[in-house]
Amino acid sequence: MVRRDAGQSAFAAGPGIHRGCREDGGIVTSAYETADFDAVVVGAGFAGLHLLHSFRERGMTVQGVEAGDGVGGTWYWNRYPGARCDVESVDYSFGFHPDLQQEWSWTERYATGPEIHRYAEFVANRLNLRDLIRFRTRVESAVFNEVSGLWVVGLDDGTEVRARFCVMATGCLSTTNLPDIEGIGDFTGDIYHPGRWPHESPMLQGKRVAVIGTGSSGIQLVPAVAREVAQLYVLQRSPNYVMPAQNGPLHPEQLAEVKRTYPERRRMSRRTRRGFPLPTTVTNQPASSFSAAEQHERLEAAWAHGGAIFTSTFDDITTNPDSNQVAADFIAGKIRGIVKDPAVATKLIPTDHPLGGKRPCVDTGYYEAFNRPNVELVDIRETPVQRITSNAIQVGERLIDVDVIILATGYDAITGTLNAIDIRGRRGVKLRDEWCDGAMAYLGLMAPKFPNLFTITGPGSPSVLCNMFVSIEQHVELVFTLLAELRQRGAEVVEPTQEALESWGERVADIADSTLLVTANSWYLGANVPGKVRQFMPYAGGMASFVDDCEALLSMDFEGFTFGDVASYSEQEAAAR
């Protein structure tokens, strides 16, 4: 491992603990624990790349750890046919580095998965980040040593890395959710999950394929796969609301204008609810402000504009059941107008949750796919899946012969990957135990009893309800604001108080309860994972409100955070024993 001379560390030793230099350049504590790096960053997705660059730019040593053999995170693993972002490309990108946004040019309004992955590689290469990352390595544990004040990160090759700061950039949708279906192990064909799609895409031509699940990835998969296969069965338990992307190429003059106005565009993005500039189809008025004809006109304009921003056509769609129903009825009419078979159209219209209650999906030809002769919708709420045999799926009394099964069953969102790692804080407290009755982090970033541990876009942050790039950048900036304050105070560790966490959790819950989002059995609440506590995890107040909340708390002398030194932890531990 590469180590910098201890004298170059960006953080001076705090009071109450002796530090010196070893011959190998490591930082020595009184317990002879050596810090290999100032920080460990877990994950080489977009959050991880931003963090690696930011630590290095501040003169700190950092080690990245990534399970895959390349960068990109979600977009490294999600290589399924039809994978595409639901935020416009020009906004789904970094704004912290002016050169990045000027040198990269997107080709489509909504970029495909492969193009986004190429962008991640561009960022890693342009900023020279690859040498900071250990690829093909999984983090199995992260344990805080109260004597040394270091995080000891255990890797799957049996080695350990010690660092003052541990940052979890593991992503919100990185742990796949696999269904427990009787007989699934007996199936002799191929089984795939979109989140672990083979890098060499499998040959599906001429095969009988079943897609189980109609969330975002299933909805993107269906039209792409339907063009290849002999027969496609779409097994749907709960239909979702799907809006057209209205995708198309980005022309040079469009890109030039965006690049010219990027500084203002980025600033505006943080002052919106969704984390990107709002089109003229969005109003800050309730639906009731308009006549029925005006409502329809605005909804038509929003549909023609494309994208999930449709759910913001009126400012009360996610809070007022009547306004929500107006927009939902409009979509139902669109479905009936696109799908030729009235019975199939009816089954594709959601009836069990409001618009926006589950993550709205953006598609390219999803509803049209059901007009193809080789595509069949199978309602597994009406006739549930009973079991899987060696070559078929039994639905009710029917056996559907298939060669390939695609489990588009989603993810253990937001907390899945964090809970899969054995993370232990002060006195050996496990993070997964702290979260067993509901997961929450102060400002979505830190948890009490886990000093110097940061969770980028963790529970309690806007994350999946906003443009993830804006959420990531704001959180990374917050990390380094705290580290600067840590150094200013001559302290060594920072963590939130229990009172601050509980107060923040109440705020997150109160905001969610004021919306219709909590009325659906969505993965926002963990409802897709058996046994997971039902709790609305994201901050639903919007990006602008979240930024205001963070800035207000920091302006009040970092209210809710405590700053200290390692010696005090050692004394507390000794007293506890």
Side-chain angles (χ1 to χ4, degrees), residues 179-188 191 387-389 405 407:
D180 183 16
I181 303 175
E182 181 182 347
I184 195 168
D186 299 329
F187 187 67
T188 57
I191 299 179
R387 63 189 178 96
I388 294 176
T389 69
I405 298 175
L407 300 173

Side-chain angles (χ1 to χ4, degrees), residues 468-526:
M468 283 300 299
F469 268 86
V470 175
S471 293
I472 287 169
E473 289 192 322
Q474 190 269 344
H475 247 188
V476 171
E477 291 169 12
L478 187 54
V479 168
F480 287 99
T481 298
L482 287 169
L483 296 195
E485 183 66 15
L486 192 70
R487 180 171 57 179
Q488 178 68 26
R489 298 186 183 210
E492 294 182 305
V493 289
V494 57
E495 68 175 284
T497 66
Q498 186 65 33
E499 294 75 17
L501 176 72
E502 292 172 1
S503 177
W504 184 253
E506 290 173 3
R507 174 158 175 74
V508 172
D510 288 345
I511 292 174
D513 289 343
S514 70
T515 73
L516 301 174
L517 303 180
V518 296
T519 63
N521 287 324
S522 71
W523 55 259
Y524 296 147
L525 292 94

Side-chain angles (χ1 to χ4, degrees), residues 395-443:
V395 178
E397 298 300 318
R398 177 188 177 190
L399 278 177
I400 301 175
D401 294 330
V402 293
D403 306 302
V404 176
I405 298 175
I406 300 175
L407 300 173
T409 48
Y411 301 84
D412 185 350
I414 302 178
T415 59
T417 303
L418 293 169
N419 283 334
I421 300 172
D422 184 12
I423 301 174
R424 305 190 187 201
R426 292 193 282 113
R427 300 182 187 174
V429 171
K430 295 183 179 182
L431 184 63
R432 66 169 71 107
D433 289 344
E434 292 292 289
W435 285 356
C436 66
D437 294 324
M440 186 54 55
Y442 186 47
L443 305 184

Side-chain angles (χ1 to χ4, degrees), residues 306-329:
I309 197 67
F310 179 92
T311 60
S312 299
T313 304
F314 307 113
D315 77 344
D316 61 345
I317 280 182
T318 58
T319 57
N320 185 315
D322 293 334
S323 297
N324 193 281
Q325 194 62 53
V326 168
D329 289 344

